[in-house]
Amino acid sequence: MAAMAGGGPRQCRRLEAEAARAVLGAADTLLFDCDGVLWRGEAAVGGAAATLGRLAAAGKRLCYVTNNSSRTRVAYTEKLRRLGFPPAEPRHIFGSAFCAARYLRQALPPGAAAYVLGSPALAAELEAVGIPHLGPGPAALPGPAPADWAQAPLDPAVRAVLVGFDEHFSYAKLCQALRYLLRGGSDCLLVGTNRDHRLPLEGGTGIPGTGCLVKAVETAAQREAFIVGKPNRYMFDCVVSEFNIDPARTIMVGDRLDTDILMGNSCGLTTLLTLTGVTTLDEVKGQEGGSALHSSIQDLLDHLVRCLVFCNCWHQRCWGPQLLPQLCPGWLAACPAHAPGPARPAEEPDGLGGQVQEHHHLLHNLAE
Amino acid sequence: MAGCRRLSGAGLREVLGPAQGVLFDCDGVLWAGERAVPGAPELLERLRRSGKAALFVSNNSRRSVAELERRFSRLGFRGVRAEHVFSSALCSALFLRQRLLGGGGDAGNGGGRVFVLGGEGLRGEVRDAGLRLAGEGESATGPAEPVRAVLVGYDDQFTFAKLAQACGYLRDPQCLLVATDPDPWHPLSDGQRTPGTGSLTAAVETASGRKALVVGKPNTYMFDCIVERFGVDPSRTLMVGDRLETDILFGKNCGLSTILTLTGVSRLEEAQAYMASDSAAAKDLVPNYYVDSIADLIPGLDE
């Protein structure tokens, strides 16, 4: 079982056979990240739907915990259905849009409105909980220059600025957000759906993530946002309030150390890292370098890659003190050195680039 | 550590007497919006008559130095020429010229293009430095010259699409990421604030996983430009500014004595708080002296 900080050395082991049966047997609930774990864009990860079908048939509760703020819960149930996953109800889906709306409903006085930098889905989730909102879509401001924008009337009801993924982000909207935050001071909440730097797309490209927009607002306003998404624990709190969850009997499955695994470990869950997502570990390295994490994560991730290539278990010596044990997943699904398929070169520090690791191992281990 | 003493009376003559020159920040020091700070034009005139040099160093990357020269004139300041003005727009262009065209390495292919997030003032300075901008004058046929630098300045037309485009260029580790200045916000004349280059740079840094090279104050590159053109002696030069985190720290970093003027961003209480702080970094933000307005310096100069 995953040991928490101060609970002794963490070990990350490859999940297969006996260990898999034991770990899965001990769990009632599995929480799945979506992008990079279940699907990439519109393509399901091979074996994922069948795996989840088997887990559901075995009586496990399946929930979905995603930082992506561009879809409503209903839209996620649609996507799961479309890609062949077991049927899910909206109450099983914990997207950052839904959870941000829930947070604001708890945190705002009745009638207070939110100025939103975000998608129609984020607006829809606010609507669903009865929070008035303005802002989504292109900025609608008088005149072409900041001098004009500074004269635009501010809505007196706004008591929160909410930042999600916003393809219409612009200097004008940033201006408005800053004005609301300055007007309200500590009476105006600043909330971000998540800090992801990058939204990976198919083919290894990506676009800037919500974290960039949150950082722009935080820098201009010189204050820190409350972040709803992983690795913060608010989304797990939402799961707990919906279902009777025992953390010791819950597994968090994700593809990112700094969001999925960190949240899972912080909440006392068993954590399972899959290598199907974050495209390559290079991506993870690149993102870690840009995050606020400990500066030695780069070296430790290099250790990680070498360990995987030679199919060693990860030991405490690979990890530094303090923060890093929190990033060590309890289990690793699918070691590439044992993946079915063509033989791989022995020395390949970046050898995980582009490797698609299927869910076969997990599924195989679950069968009898 | 600097003492944050009010400069007045005999102190004025002691400090101004030996100075050969004064560097001034502009916004919040010489003017606020479209109005000159009362007495500021007269101060510059008195400096000139005392035989002391006045040079201008501004993080504002909106305007070309030619526009700034006209602005000085329009607001009642006499005798200020473009060559006296060091804006972050100009200095960023000079920096990029050095890095992309200097040393002869890339002279053959013209040094590549620069993707500029900023207005026409900034774009003009980059062009005037002999650099080509991404998105301008490209031939319809043949491969485009690679983009060798992304320059983030004050861009009131910044969009998500431009952020994504910048990140695309920055996937090439050879492509520089440069920011004109670190300012997180700027004051408007009615007390509101408008986001600064620093907030846009934060977005680009987060998306690209890169740290920007920042040209403007408090970094010292703009002082290097001043020294190269005018050869000033830091020990005989004063720095006057309104923002502790940029102007005063810049002065400290360049070895200049610093004067905070209270007609702009920073409050005296903030300077005093830095002075009382235990952190070494905070102490560097404490000015040697302060005045309510630069007009208060006039009595320190010969009649």
Side-chain angles (χ1 to χ4, degrees):
Chain A
M1 261 330 241
M4 297 308 297
R10 293 191 60 78
Q11 275 206 322
C12 174
R13 288 151 289 183
R14 187 158 48 87
L15 185 69
E16 60 176 9
E18 289 297 328
R21 274 190 280 281
V23 168
L24 292 166
D28 299 325
T29 303
L30 287 95
L31 310 182
F32 286 93
D33 177 40
C34 300
D35 298 301
V37 176
L38 304 181
W39 53 65
R40 294 181 212 95
E42 280 300 308
V45 166
T51 300
L52 268 64
R54 292 294 301 269
L55 290 166
K60 309 298 180 189
R61 176 191 292 124
L62 306 181
C63 294
Y64 305 90
V65 182
T66 175
N67 275 359
N68 190 316
S69 65
S70 299
R71 279 185 215 271
T72 60
R73 294 191 296 166
V74 168
Y76 270 112
T77 61
E78 260 305 297
K79 183 162 184 175
L80 285 162
R81 187 193 56 75
R82 193 165 67 243
L83 295 182
F85 288 89
E89 295 168 56
R91 64 194 291 254
H92 294 116
I93 317 280
F94 299 86
S96 65
F98 166 71
C99 293
R102 208 162 168 286
Y103 176 76
L104 286 178
R105 194 189 64 193
Q106 290 171 332
L108 285 176
Y115 178 72
V116 179
L117 296 160
S119 61
L122 190 51
E125 293 287 23
L126 289 170
E127 181 98 22
V129 297
I131 297 179
H133 52 85
L134 62 153
L141 289 170
D148 306 313
W149 307 333
Q151 304 314 312
L154 292 179
D155 186 323
V158 167
R159 299 280 295 273
V161 170
L162 173 59
V163 186
F165 182 75
D166 185 5
E167 59 177 348
H168 295 287
F169 182 84
S170 65
Y171 184 86
K173 296 179 80 172
L174 178 59
C175 252
Q176 284 300 91
L178 180 60
R179 291 177 74 210
Y180 279 117
L181 290 167
L182 290 174
R183 182 190 71 170
S186 54
D187 286 339
C188 183
L189 301 178
L190 173 56
V191 180
T193 54
N194 61 297
R195 285 206 187 275
D196 295 48
H197 306 161
R198 206 157 171 270
L199 253 57
L201 299 178
E202 289 133 35
T205 58
I207 52 175
T210 305
C212 311
L213 311 184
V214 172
K215 238 349 183 176
V217 177
E218 288 182 313
T219 302
Q222 295 189 295
R223 58 184 279 191
E224 211 173 294
F226 175 83
I227 302 296
V228 166
K230 302 171 283 184
N232 293 356
R233 61 173 299 145
Y234 184 74
M235 294 219 287
F236 180 68
D237 293 343
C238 291
V239 179
V240 167
S241 69
E242 182 71 30
F243 299 105
N244 188 15
I245 299 280
D246 177 1
R249 297 184 62 81
T250 304
I251 302 177
M252 174 76 209
V253 183
D255 65 316
R256 293 195 53 160
L257 297 175
D258 63 341
T259 52
D260 306 315
I261 302 305
L262 184 52
M263 184 191 82
N265 287 344
S266 305
C267 298
L269 314 180
T270 301
T271 51
L272 172 61
L273 177 73
T274 74
L275 295 175
T276 50
V278 194
T279 318
T280 63
L281 269 183
D282 276 357
E283 298 292 338
V284 176
K285 287 194 237 180
Q287 285 161 3
E288 309 306 357
S291 78
L293 294 174
H294 197 284
S295 61
S296 68
I297 185 104
Q298 185 66 46
D299 298 324
L300 296 151
L301 285 169
D302 289 340
H303 279 302
L304 184 74
V305 173
R306 278 193 286 278
C307 288
L308 292 174
V309 168
F310 296 108
C311 193
N312 292 325
C313 291
W314 300 336
H315 296 292
Q316 176 62 20
R317 68 169 181 268
C318 289
W319 305 92
Q322 299 168 355
L323 180 67
L324 295 176
Q326 297 293 86
L327 292 175
C328 181
W331 300 96
L332 174 67
C335 173
H338 286 98
R344 297 172 55 259
E347 282 287 328
E348 206 178 325
D350 296 316
L352 298 168
Q355 284 280 353
V356 170
Q357 300 307 320
E358 308 297 20
H359 278 267
H360 294 156
H361 294 281
L362 189 60
L363 178 61
H364 172 73
N365 297 326
L366 188 55
E368 316 87 45
Chain B
M1 183 191 66
C4 195
R5 293 172 17 224
R6 177 184 283 280
L7 201 53
S8 61
L12 278 170
R13 292 192 164 277
E14 280 166 22
V15 170
L16 287 171
Q20 288 173 338
V22 184
L23 303 187
F24 290 94
D25 176 43
C26 301
D27 300 306
V29 176
L30 304 176
W31 54 65
E34 286 300 307
R35 298 179 51 242
V37 165
E42 188 190 346
L43 170 69
L44 291 196
E45 181 57 30
R46 296 284 289 272
L47 274 172
R48 200 179 60 80
R49 283 198 264 138
S50 304
K52 299 186 192 295
L55 298 174
F56 307 92
V57 54
S58 169
N59 271 2
N60 191 319
S61 61
R62 287 176 59 195
R63 299 185 177 95
S64 65
V65 293
E67 287 174 75
L68 282 167
E69 183 185 289
R70 288 192 290 276
R71 184 173 171 79
F72 273 98
S73 174
R74 193 171 72 246
L75 265 51
F77 297 88
R78 302 274 153 264
V80 177
R81 293 197 305 280
E83 66 181 12
H84 301 138
V85 181
F86 294 82
S87 71
S88 65
L90 169 72
C91 294
S92 297
L94 295 176
F95 177 79
L96 285 172
R97 184 173 71 186
Q98 253 175 8
R99 295 291 292 262
L100 299 187
L101 298 179
D106 273 338
N109 67 10
R113 294 176 293 150
V114 181
F115 179 64
V116 178
L117 294 162
E120 190 46 43
L122 179 59
R123 304 168 74 83
E125 293 288 20
V126 175
R127 266 184 236 114
D128 288 350
L131 295 159
R132 266 185 298 285
L133 274 60
E136 289 183 2
E138 281 144 14
S139 67
T141 58
E145 254 188 300
V147 171
R148 297 233 186 267
V150 169
L151 176 62
V152 186
Y154 175 83
D155 185 5
D156 61 23
Q157 304 301 313
F158 186 85
T159 60
F160 185 87
K162 291 166 89 171
L163 173 62
Q165 195 177 359
C167 288
Y169 295 131
L170 289 167
R171 287 164 70 88
D172 174 4
Q174 300 301 310
C175 182
L176 298 177
L177 173 57
V178 181
T180 57
D181 68 278
D183 297 0
W185 52 266
H186 301 286
L188 296 173
S189 38
D190 62 357
Q192 296 194 87
R193 295 179 184 176
T194 194
T197 305
S199 63
L200 307 182
T201 305
V204 178
E205 286 183 323
T206 304
S208 64
R210 306 265 299 263
K211 280 307 263 174
L213 299 164
V214 180
V215 169
K217 301 172 283 183
N219 291 346
T220 56
Y221 183 76
M222 295 218 281
F223 188 66
D224 297 342
C225 294
I226 292 171
V227 167
E228 177 157 340
R229 190 179 288 175
F230 290 110
V232 303
D233 174 0
S235 68
R236 304 285 296 275
T237 307
L238 303 172
M239 172 69 202
V240 181
D242 70 310
R243 196 158 200 169
L244 297 168
E245 296 81 12
T246 51
D247 303 318
I248 301 306
L249 184 55
F250 172 77
K252 173 79 170 63
N253 288 341
C254 301
L256 313 169
S257 291
T258 54
I259 303 175
L260 174 71
T261 176
L262 297 176
T263 48
V265 165
S266 294
R267 308 266 63 84
L268 180 60
E269 297 71 49
E270 293 164 36
Q272 290 165 337
Y274 283 132
M275 199 160 68
S277 163
D278 291 329
S279 112
K283 310 265 198 251
D284 286 346
L285 302 175
V286 180
N288 296 103
Y289 311 104
Y290 74 91
V291 291
D292 291 323
S293 135
I294 60 173
D296 297 349
L297 298 173
I298 293 172
L301 297 165
D302 296 331
E303 194 50 47

